[in-house]
Amino acid sequence: MDRWRGTGMDATAQGELLLHRLARFANLSPQEVALVTSLAAKTEEFSAGTELVAEGQSLDTPRLLISGWACRFRMLPDGRRQIFEFILPGDVYGLCLRPQAIALTTAIALTPVCIADAAALGDAIINKSDEYPGLTAACHSTASLEEAYLLNQLMRVGRQTAYERTAHLILELHERLSIVGLADETTVAIPLTQEIMADALGLSVVHLNRTLQQLRRNQLIEFKSGQVRLLQPEQLAQLADFRPPRVSQITRAAA
Amino acid sequence: MDRWRGTGMDATAQGELLLHRLARFANLSPQEVALVTSLAAKTEEFSAGTELVAEGQSLDTPRLLISGWACRFRMLPDGRRQIFEFILPGDVYGLCLRPQAIALTTAIALTPVCIADAAALGDAIINKSDEYPGLTAACHSTASLEEAYLLNQLMRVGRQTAYERTAHLILELHERLSIVGLADETTVAIPLTQEIMADALGLSVVHLNRTLQQLRRNQLIEFKSGQVRLLQPEQLAQLADFRPPRVSQITRAAA
DNA sequence: CGTAAGCTTGACAATACTCAATCTCTGTGG
DNA sequence: CCACAGAGATTGAGTATTGTCAAGCTTACG
């Protein structure tokens, strides 16, 4: 399966994905940059399918996803599954800004993943937010973004057609991966089986397959072996009513 | 329209709905109880359809919904609407535990509403959480609960049939209103038009109407002029896979 | 090569939507 | 007090979308 083909980044670069994202939301001091960079020091590997968070588990061990994809989902008794959100490289999971919270959903690895302990990050923004103002603000913005993605997901699944929602999800994944430097203007690696995408989109595999074919036939995307190329990003964005979320009033001072 | 018929509570009792809910999650000191109770002092009335929060607006003016129903939603350019969540009596909206956040969605009143300024509550839990530990914990639990309801909504709309999801929503509303004392074991007032329920459930009005008829025909609910009676709550819960959310590890000490 | 996972296809069925009409309230004005 | 208007609920008929089942195909990989 070359679905899981790497991005060609070395380990150091991968450890800095999170930094890319956080730096969009706030100016980080050298001390803050050092903290984030140091997270990638000790990492663990897990295979696809590994349970990363169990529903009901205490949310007190924040972790940084260095590489690979994961997701949060829930299942109905008869096996129907709804994927709530994808966890992408550079995302932190298992971190809740509310103390004593417990996980509302299970999270599993969708591909082989590499994970780092982010306890230092959680400690910094929860207990020492005065020392780490930039990190704290950036993590708060990130939390808002996650909520915005959840609302997007609800909008897709509740009110958009299969065609629209498939396009919308692809655009959202492209945007999220662009932010951490894992996608260029028109190309992005999406290492998901159609079954997984279908469970995220609330569609059957067969119907998603036909919907993807329709997008290809209409010259809107190319999609093979996990690589997606956006052929007409503007048309896609328009048909899917895709608009990047505005999340925080804090504007980053200077570049 | 007697859809909006009141609950027969007097103003004082209505002001204490929030107290009911918060007291489930933490023991509140007399000082905390006083703060919450005092919120209902000065209130404002708005008619159905009034915009309560605008998308993009700064989330710095928390408000307590004393009576009436509201919702958060988003629309597609062609008019399709998805309701994300309902705001019920005793709910606080416009309060975000993250500083500087902006509203991700618009909120409007669905019925005539009565609203109180909850700035004192926001101030207490954000700036003076040391003095108000019970309130702070309870509000954090409430925030988790709201996320749980959002995930329920996504599960309904993404993977449940019209029949299941309609039953599930009714059960969830019954549970939420029970918590604030606005529903008894089997009866609850749901002052929503079928159009509004349809927009929450991701269904067309016509299909929702037929689905409700099916639930009635199967002797599971009665539903007329805004009053719902659960005839067989256990069967409903089973067919809808309804399970009350577990949200926090903090257990309230004693009753 | 053989296997297994994932993708694709065809045929058919079920679910859900649209359109248009009718019915039922409830409040309003004469 | 009644006719009327308007919002909301209901119904029927026809259509579109999406799901199910079952089979074949492709690809990666041992």
Side-chain angles (χ1 to χ4, degrees):
Chain A
M1 267 292 134
D2 78 338
R3 190 199 309 285
W4 295 336
R5 152 179 26 181
T7 58
M9 301 183 116
D10 57 31
T12 311
Q14 290 188 337
E16 292 180 0
L17 296 179
L18 170 59
L19 204 54
H20 285 172
R21 189 156 51 74
L22 295 179
R24 280 174 65 102
F25 295 121
N27 287 312
L28 302 182
S29 70
Q31 182 193 16
E32 291 174 320
V33 171
L35 187 150
V36 173
T37 308
S38 72
L39 292 177
K42 54 176 192 293
T43 64
E44 275 183 294
E45 310 256 342
F46 297 100
S47 61
T50 307
E51 184 173 285
L52 303 177
V53 178
E55 182 172 346
Q57 168 185 329
S58 179
L59 281 176
D60 50 9
T61 54
R63 298 189 188 283
L64 168 63
L65 185 59
I66 301 280
S67 67
W69 286 42
C71 73
R72 302 211 297 147
F73 71 97
R74 194 181 297 159
M75 292 188 71
L76 291 168
D78 66 357
R80 281 173 289 175
R81 176 172 72 165
Q82 178 64 47
I83 290 177
F84 297 123
E85 61 183 29
F86 292 109
I87 304 172
L88 306 184
D91 283 348
V92 173
Y93 68 90
L95 170 63
C96 188
L97 302 172
R98 303 182 284 273
Q100 309 281 351
I102 64 178
L104 295 172
T105 63
T106 300
I108 59 167
L110 293 170
T111 70
V113 292
C114 176
I115 281 166
D117 182 13
L121 180 65
D123 181 56
I125 66 172
I126 290 176
N127 303 317
K128 301 186 280 195
S129 58
D130 293 343
E131 296 173 50
Y132 298 93
L135 269 191
T136 303
C139 284
H140 281 127
S141 294
T142 298
S144 289
L145 251 192
E146 275 175 30
E147 191 184 333
Y149 290 135
L150 208 57
L151 296 175
N152 277 353
Q153 173 78 336
L154 193 38
M155 197 75 207
R156 278 194 288 265
V157 151
R159 280 304 187 207
Q160 291 194 297
T161 64
Y163 191 68
E164 293 165 340
R165 76 178 86 157
T166 303
H168 196 285
L169 177 62
I170 289 172
L171 287 171
E172 187 180 280
L173 292 173
H174 174 259
E175 184 194 76
R176 289 181 61 186
L177 290 164
S178 293
I179 291 175
V180 289
L182 289 179
D184 65 26
E185 198 65 31
T186 59
T187 312
V188 56
I190 299 186
L192 302 177
T193 65
Q194 293 187 357
E195 185 182 6
I196 293 171
M197 284 192 71
D199 281 349
L201 291 170
L203 298 171
S204 67
V205 189
V206 172
H207 195 63
L208 171 65
N209 181 288
R210 291 183 167 127
T211 303
L212 285 172
Q213 288 177 51
Q214 203 182 340
L215 286 166
R216 283 189 281 239
R217 203 174 327 119
N218 294 344
Q219 311 286 325
L220 293 167
I221 63 167
E222 281 173 10
F223 196 156
K224 60 180 176 193
S225 57
Q227 296 293 318
V228 177
R229 177 183 301 274
L230 309 178
L231 300 178
Q232 305 188 51
E234 295 79 12
Q235 276 87 336
L236 272 177
Q238 177 159 15
L239 79 88
D241 189 42
F242 181 79
R243 21 190 181 183
R246 285 284 154 268
V247 142
S248 167
Q249 291 190 303
I250 306 178
T251 334
R252 188 161 130 53
Chain B
M1 265 292 134
D2 78 338
R3 189 201 307 288
W4 296 335
R5 150 176 33 181
T7 59
M9 302 184 116
D10 57 30
T12 312
Q14 292 190 335
E16 292 180 1
L17 296 178
L18 171 58
L19 205 52
H20 286 173
R21 188 155 53 75
L22 296 178
R24 281 174 63 103
F25 295 122
N27 287 311
L28 302 181
S29 70
Q31 183 193 18
E32 291 175 320
V33 170
L35 187 150
V36 173
T37 308
S38 72
L39 292 178
K42 55 177 190 292
T43 63
E44 274 183 295
E45 311 256 342
F46 297 101
S47 61
T50 306
E51 183 174 286
L52 304 177
V53 178
E55 183 172 347
Q57 167 185 330
S58 180
L59 280 177
D60 50 9
T61 54
R63 299 191 188 280
L64 168 64
L65 185 59
I66 301 279
S67 67
W69 286 41
C71 73
R72 302 210 296 147
F73 71 96
R74 194 180 298 159
M75 292 188 72
L76 290 169
D78 65 359
R80 281 173 289 174
R81 175 172 72 165
Q82 178 64 47
I83 290 177
F84 296 124
E85 60 183 30
F86 291 109
I87 303 172
L88 306 184
D91 282 348
V92 174
Y93 68 88
L95 170 61
C96 188
L97 303 172
R98 303 182 284 272
Q100 308 281 350
I102 63 177
L104 296 172
T105 65
T106 299
I108 59 166
L110 294 171
T111 70
V113 292
C114 177
I115 283 167
D117 183 11
L121 180 65
D123 182 55
I125 67 173
I126 290 175
N127 302 319
K128 302 185 277 194
S129 57
D130 294 342
E131 296 173 50
Y132 298 92
L135 270 190
T136 303
C139 285
H140 281 127
S141 293
T142 297
S144 289
L145 206 50
E146 273 175 32
E147 191 185 332
Y149 291 135
L150 208 57
L151 296 176
N152 278 352
Q153 173 79 335
L154 194 37
M155 196 74 205
R156 279 194 286 267
V157 151
R159 279 308 188 202
Q160 291 195 295
T161 64
Y163 191 67
E164 293 166 339
R165 76 178 85 158
T166 303
H168 196 286
L169 177 63
I170 289 173
L171 288 171
E172 188 180 281
L173 292 173
H174 174 259
E175 184 193 76
R176 288 181 62 185
L177 291 164
S178 294
I179 290 176
V180 289
L182 288 180
D184 65 26
E185 198 64 30
T186 59
T187 311
V188 57
I190 300 186
L192 302 177
T193 65
Q194 293 186 357
E195 185 181 6
I196 293 171
M197 284 193 71
D199 281 349
L201 291 170
L203 298 172
S204 68
V205 190
V206 172
H207 195 59
L208 171 65
N209 181 287
R210 293 183 165 125
T211 303
L212 286 172
Q213 289 178 51
Q214 203 182 340
L215 286 167
R216 283 190 281 238
R217 202 175 326 121
N218 294 343
Q219 310 287 325
L220 293 168
I221 63 167
E222 281 174 8
F223 196 157
K224 60 180 176 195
S225 57
Q227 295 294 317
V228 178
R229 177 183 302 273
L230 309 178
L231 300 178
Q232 305 187 52
E234 295 78 12
Q235 278 87 335
L236 271 177
Q238 178 159 13
L239 80 86
D241 189 42
F242 181 79
R243 20 190 181 182
R246 285 282 155 270
V247 142
S248 167
Q249 291 189 303
I250 306 178
T251 334
R252 191 162 130 53

